[in-house]
Structures are given as structure tokens and as C-alpha cells.
Amino acid sequence: QVQLVESGGRVVQAGGSLRLSCAASGLSFSSYALAWFRQAPGKAREFVASISWGVWSGYRSDYADPVKGRFTISRDNAKSTLYLEMNNLKPEDTAVYYCTASQTTYGRSWYSYDRRGQGTQVTVSS
């Protein structure tokens, strides 16, 4: 059974940092492209960052403009874990953050990723 379990979300002050983790099980982690999405209350779900598969050729990463330069996505295949390092957090980063995975596609669409976690809440206070 495939599981993606996010953790690390909490309340943090503006300007602070957080690291989210996503522990995967039941899948061949290294062969999956991975991504983070988020959804704020009353807003549409949006792409945050993604990282490709490709152990031998190196990983590609992609970031949404609002988080570029502040967030870093990374993966540890040995631990089957995806990370999102978030720095200089802003109140507009408040959202539920979702970890997603796909063995077949890599991109910015939620629907490209057929494996999804339940989310972790990040709240940034001003």
C-alpha cells in the first residue's frame, strides 16, 4: 500500500523557517517524480515545487514564482523522504501543504501526480 505522510507543519512567525518532510512507503521512491502543492483557505490549490527522478543524470527542480529563492525541495532516496525547506516565511505562505508523487510524469499540474498525502498545516503569523 502506497503511503505519503507529511510532517513538520506548525505555527511560525513571519521571517521564520520550517522544514517539511514527506515519508513515502510502498513504492520505489527513486523512480518517482515528486512535488509539493499547497492550498490556503478559500483559495485554489497551487503548485509549490517539484523534483524529478533521474539518479544518474541529476535531478531537475522547479519552483513557483512566489517561493523561488525562499524554498528548496530535496529528496533522500535512501530514506524514501521528500523535503521542503522554507525560509523567510510570509503570512501568504499559510496553507495546507501536500506531498505528491508520480512515476510517469513531472510537471506543475496536481493531476500529474497520482499519489498524494493528507497534508500538513503551515501557519505563518504576522
Side-chain angles (χ1 to χ4, degrees), residues 9 21 44 47 75 78 83 93 115 122:
S21 299
F47 168 78
R75 61 191 297 164
Y83 301 102
D93 294 319
R115 308 295 186 179
V122 172

Side-chain angles (χ1 to χ4, degrees), residues 24-67:
S25 59
L27 52 78
S28 179
F29 187 78
S30 62
S31 66
Y32 278 74
L34 306 162
W36 291 97
F37 290 79
R38 67 185 182 186
Q39 187 165 21
K43 294 189 176 181
R45 189 185 304 113
E46 63 176 355
F47 168 78
V48 175
S50 62
I51 186 166
S52 67
W53 54 79
V55 176
W56 306 114
S57 60
Y59 298 111
R60 291 174 291 156
S61 58
D62 184 26
Y63 296 92
D65 285 345
V67 308

Side-chain angles (χ1 to χ4, degrees), residues 12-20 38 46-49 63-73 84-94 97 122 124:
V12 62
Q13 284 193 329
S17 299
L18 275 180
R19 187 175 80 159
L20 303 184
R38 67 185 182 186
E46 63 176 355
F47 168 78
V48 175
Y63 296 92
D65 285 345
V67 308
K68 202 171 291 185
R70 299 188 297 122
F71 290 12
T72 302
I73 190 171
L84 185 68
E85 188 76 37
M86 306 186 293
N87 297 312
N88 190 22
L89 283 160
K90 304 176 181 181
E92 51 264 42
D93 294 319
T94 295
Y97 284 71
V122 172
V124 184

